[in-house]
Amino acid sequence: MRIPPFARYQRLLSSFGLVVSGAIIGSAIYMSIHQHTYNQLYVEMHKYLEENRDLRADIESLNKTRNKQALINVVNVHLLPKSQTEIISEDIQKEIEGDVKSELKLVIGQKATFVRDSQPLYERLITQRTYVLHDKKYIIEVKSIVLLQTELTVWITAQEKRT
C-alpha cells in the first residue's frame, strides 16, 4: 500500500488554517461589538426605567396634592461630580439619586413653609450617609437645597469611600 506524499496537501492545510483563524478573529470582533451594543442598551433601559418610575411617582404625588397649592408636590435630586477625576458612571448616579429621592419621599405632601423652616433637618438626613452599590461604598454630601413653590430640588455630591 502506498502513502500519498504530504507535500501535496500542504497548501490546502495552510489555507484551511487561515480560514479557521479568520473565523475565530471575526467571531471575536463580532462578539465585542455585540457586547458593547448590549451594554449601551442595558444602561439606556435602566435610564428609561428610572425615568418611568420618577414620572409615576410625580403623577402619584400630584394626584395626592392636586387641590392643595401650598404643599410640596415634587422632589428632584441632582448628583454633581465631586471633582473631574472622580466621575461616577451614569447607572450608579441614577441609583444614588433614586435612593436619596426615596429618603426624601416623606417631604411630599407636607406644607412648603414647614419644609422651608426645617431645611437643616433634611440636610442632616442626607449628609454623610453611606450607600453601598455594586460592592462600593459612596458617601453623600448635600451641596444645596432649593424650594421653589411646590418643588424641592436637592443638589448632592457622592464620593467613593476608600477602605
Side-chain angles (χ1 to χ4, degrees):
M1 177 159 187
R2 193 175 135 234
I3 299 174
F6 182 71
R8 188 189 240 179
Y9 301 109
Q10 193 171 6
R11 288 187 67 131
L12 182 64
L13 199 56
S14 64
S15 300
F16 180 71
L18 259 158
V19 168
V20 169
S21 64
I24 291 172
I25 292 170
S27 64
I29 291 172
Y30 173 77
M31 282 306 295
S32 67
I33 292 170
H34 176 72
Q35 188 65 26
H36 178 72
T37 306
Y38 183 78
N39 191 27
Q40 284 180 337
L41 286 175
Y42 181 78
V43 169
E44 194 172 321
M45 180 191 71
H46 278 287
K47 184 171 60 172
Y48 287 141
L49 287 174
E50 182 69 28
E51 184 180 347
N52 187 6
R53 199 174 317 127
D54 291 344
L55 291 175
R56 287 184 188 274
D58 288 347
I59 288 172
E60 181 182 313
S61 66
L62 289 173
N63 283 337
K64 185 177 10 175
T65 61
R66 185 182 326 184
N67 297 327
K68 303 171 186 171
Q69 293 301 317
L71 301 179
I72 301 295
N73 292 330
V74 179
V75 175
N76 293 324
V77 178
H78 302 287
L79 181 66
L80 302 173
K82 183 96 173 171
S83 64
Q84 295 294 340
T85 58
E86 295 184 22
I87 296 177
I88 301 173
S89 67
E90 188 174 328
D91 56 334
I92 292 177
Q93 285 181 1
K94 294 297 181 185
E95 287 185 42
I96 291 173
E97 288 175 358
D99 290 345
V100 172
K101 189 182 257 189
S102 67
E103 286 195 26
L104 289 176
K105 203 170 228 176
L106 60 103
V107 173
I108 295 176
Q110 291 185 0
K111 291 185 178 180
T113 56
F114 176 73
V115 173
R116 185 186 67 227
D117 293 339
S118 60
Q119 199 168 358
L121 172 72
Y122 296 116
E123 186 174 334
R124 274 187 258 129
L125 179 71
I126 302 168
T127 302
Q128 295 301 318
R129 206 68 194 261
T130 303
Y131 292 99
V132 179
L133 300 169
H134 303 291
D135 298 330
K136 293 181 182 177
K137 294 181 180 180
Y138 295 95
I139 298 176
I140 306 300
E141 293 182 21
V142 177
K143 282 292 190 187
S144 66
I145 298 176
V146 176
L147 177 64
L148 293 174
Q149 295 182 355
T150 62
E151 184 174 328
L152 180 71
T153 306
V154 180
W155 282 275
I156 61 173
T157 60
Q159 184 178 13
E160 185 177 341
K161 184 178 183 180
R162 307 279 186 214
T163 55

